[in-house]
Amino acid sequence: MNAKSYVDNFMNELVTKNPGEPEFHQAVREVVESVADYILESPQLMKMKVMERIVEPERVIMFRVPWVNDAGEVVINKGYRVQMNSAIGPYKGGVRFHASVNLSILKFLAFEQTFKNSLTTLPMGGGKGGSNFDPKGKSEMEIMRFCQSFITELYRHIGPDTDVPAGDIGVGGREVAYMFGQYKRLSNEFTGTFTGKGISFGGSLMRPEATGYGACYFGEAMLATRGDSYKGKKVCISGSGNVAQFAAKKATELGATVMTMSDSNGYIYDPDGISPEKLQYIFQLKNVLRGRIREYANKYPTAKYVADARPWGEKCDIAMPCATQNELNGAEADMLLKNGCKCVVEGANMPTTPDAIAKFQAAKILYSPGKASNAGGVATSGLEMSQNSMRLGWSAEEVDQRLRGIMSNIHSACVKYGTEPDGYINYVKGANISGFMKVADAMLAQGIV
Ligand code: NDP
């Protein structure tokens, strides 16, 4: 069998067994294409059906989340936790609250998480959870009641050595704190069952910064392979949440100028660049006032706001998609390439569609998949777990130092396993092979489980 027929057969079976899950199919195809040759060369991996087992979640928990809104009405949401793979450590991965959440999206995220966590070299398995609850426009008390109801069911399935959730879209420090509070109350234990906690109750310094900073450290390492850096570059960022904010901060510190940020309603473009002072306003707008990105253009009138659009038509050297999945398509890849973009660093999970990835790779520009370049977040969550187990806290400098080291190691692994015969670094292949190998070895060693 050659690699193409292996991938075709595998995907046919996967789609038949998991109908109506397009995001999950997309994520699996990317990994299977990368590792097909490696699997075909290993009779043991074939015989023990390691890939077939990896795509089947070890457990999926689906539950009702009933709560009462401020108007006194009963509202029912869906709750999920996908416990994907525990071969190398307890399930680990964020919780997403967004109206679009469904099983396909959570399975794709949990699947990606398994390889990402392996890449960090820390002992963490893969998981992901969430709800179709939409936090936008909800009061503080509604958010708290929802989080409490969500955890009232989920608490029996998680624990410091079982499954350690964290934040994701729609879940930041506030929501993690409410979930942790309810978990502690129900379990009657103060343990490191969540990461992304507040500093006063076991959180790690640098965890909020880690994903965005880590993506920029990874981007610096990519650019260095071509004797280049962020210095003097124009950067287009999508999103204006946790990852986007700290990617913008670090890119600016590294000497770049950030031109755009966005939310689900549109994007802002600032011809003068988003200075540190203007970025401080975005932090306030998004994290405290919980406002919309269009308000930036009211405060800074030289900036434009473009409604119902994404920023990829603007000229930049580096693109950092930091919002959500499939937010950069083939037509937008063409625009970026035409405008001279040399480097695409994913902060979000699977933000680039497969046809757009193919265009970047055909043009031989630098392109990194999120499972490599956004792994700094979960890596720092792993560091938070270590600090909780030791019952101590490291300084921000120490955590940042470790984060830099981990991102540098992930980059080296991508180079080792992804360098093509012509010298082009295929970061997708590198990340997938490197992440897969460790999980596959552990699964082989542990028998058919
Ligand atoms: P946040 O909720 O803090 O921010 C998400 C941002 O993306 C917001 O600006 C939001 O806009 C925008 N967005 C969300 N959904 C859409 C959509 N359908 N279309 C356009 N814009 C959208 O989330 P994070 O910053 O934490 O997460 C962003 C991405 O990074 C996700 O893919 C997440 O899985 C990934 N990630 C996050 C990590 C973390 O540590 N937080 C770690 C690794 C990956 P709006 O306000 O309008 O919803």
Side-chain angles (χ1 to χ4, degrees):
M1 199 182 337
N2 64 21
K4 185 178 178 316
S5 52
Y6 173 79
V7 173
D8 288 346
N9 291 344
F10 191 93
M11 289 308 300
N12 282 340
E13 198 164 316
L14 183 98
V15 172
T16 307
K17 277 189 180 167
N18 302 272
E21 298 183 353
E23 294 86 359
F24 181 54
H25 304 162
Q26 182 182 335
V28 171
R29 175 175 280 281
E30 186 206 280
V31 172
V32 176
E33 283 177 349
S34 295
V35 301
D37 284 326
Y38 182 77
I39 291 175
L40 287 167
E41 281 165 20
S42 164
Q44 197 63 359
L45 288 174
M46 292 285 280
K47 182 168 164 230
M48 301 308 278
K49 301 223 164 149
V50 169
M51 197 66 208
E52 288 81 349
R53 280 191 278 148
I54 286 184
V55 298
E56 203 58 61
E58 290 178 12
R59 190 176 300 108
V60 176
I61 301 141
M62 292 175 63
F63 50 99
R64 177 206 295 158
V65 191
W67 57 284
V68 180
N69 71 13
D70 287 348
E73 295 156 351
V74 177
V75 186
I76 296 106
N77 285 103
K78 287 178 182 293
Y80 306 82
R81 186 74 183 165
V82 179
Q83 296 183 333
M84 198 78 193
N85 194 297
S86 61
I88 62 169
Y91 309 109
K92 178 86 197 87
V95 169
R96 176 177 292 193
F97 292 163
H98 193 270
S100 65
V101 162
N102 59 34
L103 195 54
S104 171
I105 289 177
L106 294 178
K107 279 172 71 178
F108 117 65
L109 288 164
F111 180 76
E112 293 265 299
Q113 194 83 46
T114 301
F115 303 103
K116 181 190 307 188
N117 293 1
S118 165
L119 275 172
T120 66
T121 72
L122 300 174
M124 298 180 290
K128 201 84 187 189
S131 171
N132 61 349
F133 171 73
D134 180 2
K136 281 197 201 80
K138 301 291 187 298
S139 72
E140 190 75 25
M141 287 298 113
E142 288 177 323
I143 300 274
M144 183 182 77
R145 285 197 295 275
F146 177 81
C147 290
Q148 291 180 340
S149 181
F150 184 81
I151 288 303
T152 299
E153 173 55 35
L154 190 62
Y155 93 97
R156 70 192 86 245
H157 305 289
I158 59 179
D161 297 316
T162 310
D163 185 350
V164 183
D168 191 75
I169 291 178
V171 178
R174 174 181 64 170
E175 291 76 16
V176 167
Y178 288 147
M179 289 193 278
F180 176 77
Q182 184 74 349
Y183 175 81
K184 180 169 65 64
R185 186 181 179 198
L186 292 168
S187 63
N188 195 28
E189 278 178 357
F190 192 112
T191 56
T193 296
F194 284 82
T195 59
K197 301 184 290 297
I199 302 301
S200 59
F201 51 97
S204 174
L205 289 167
M206 295 293 294
R207 175 61 189 89
E209 291 87 346
T211 310
Y213 279 21
C216 290
Y217 297 151
F218 197 89
E220 274 287 85
M222 292 166 80
L223 288 158
T225 65
R226 297 188 177 184
D228 215 338
S229 73
Y230 269 69
K231 203 168 174 46
K233 301 292 186 304
K234 287 187 171 176
V235 183
C236 279
I237 293 180
S238 65
S240 49
N242 172 264
V243 180
Q245 290 170 18
F246 287 104
K249 187 159 184 241
K250 184 53 72 178
T252 308
E253 281 174 17
L254 292 172
T257 305
V258 177
M259 310 306 295
T260 68
M261 290 183 80
S262 71
D263 60 25
S264 51
N265 297 114
Y267 76 90
I268 52 117
Y269 171 83
D270 190 329
D272 306 320
I274 301 172
S275 64
E277 181 209 333
K278 291 171 174 173
L279 188 58
Q280 210 43 51
Y281 167 72
I282 292 180
F283 273 75
Q284 176 79 5
L285 175 68
K286 284 288 168 180
N287 306 343
V288 182
L289 305 172
R290 301 199 183 263
R292 308 304 298 160
I293 200 71
R294 65 172 168 267
E295 293 166 50
Y296 181 98
N298 299 336
K299 185 158 173 73
Y300 302 108
T302 51
K304 69 173 176 184
Y305 172 69
V306 186
D308 301 321
R310 303 191 285 222
W312 313 125
E314 303 294 345
K315 194 169 164 43
C316 65
D317 305 294
I318 301 168
M320 298 189 72
C322 295
T324 192
Q325 65 274 359
N326 292 329
E327 52 152 326
L328 197 175
N329 64 26
E332 290 163 325
D334 286 335
M335 290 195 284
L336 283 168
L337 289 169
K338 187 167 143 270
N339 284 331
C341 178
K342 304 186 235 326
C343 179
V344 180
V345 187
E346 291 188 348
N349 285 311
M350 209 170 75
T352 311
T353 61
D355 58 329
I357 296 173
K359 284 170 194 265
F360 293 143
Q361 292 182 331
K364 304 272 178 197
I365 70 160
L366 296 165
Y367 162 76
S368 75
K371 65 167 77 72
S373 44
N374 73 27
V378 73
T380 308
S381 279
L383 301 179
E384 182 172 332
M385 289 164 75
S386 303
Q387 294 170 77
N388 291 166
S389 298
M390 293 188 288
R391 302 209 187 280
L392 51 77
W394 294 326
S395 68
E397 292 71 30
E398 184 159 4
V399 178
D400 192 37
Q401 197 62 31
R402 288 176 190 262
L403 171 64
R404 283 174 191 268
I406 291 169
M407 297 315 293
S408 166
N409 289 342
I410 297 174
H411 184 267
S412 301
C414 290
V415 172
K416 181 170 175 192
Y417 295 105
T419 304
E420 311 263 5
D422 66 356
Y424 178 67
I425 304 167
N426 183 334
Y427 286 92
V428 175
K429 193 169 152 197
N432 285 335
I433 293 179
S434 169
F436 171 79
M437 277 170 38
K438 185 173 167 199
V439 176
D441 282 354
M443 287 177 72
L444 280 178
Q446 291 169 24
I448 302 170
V449 290

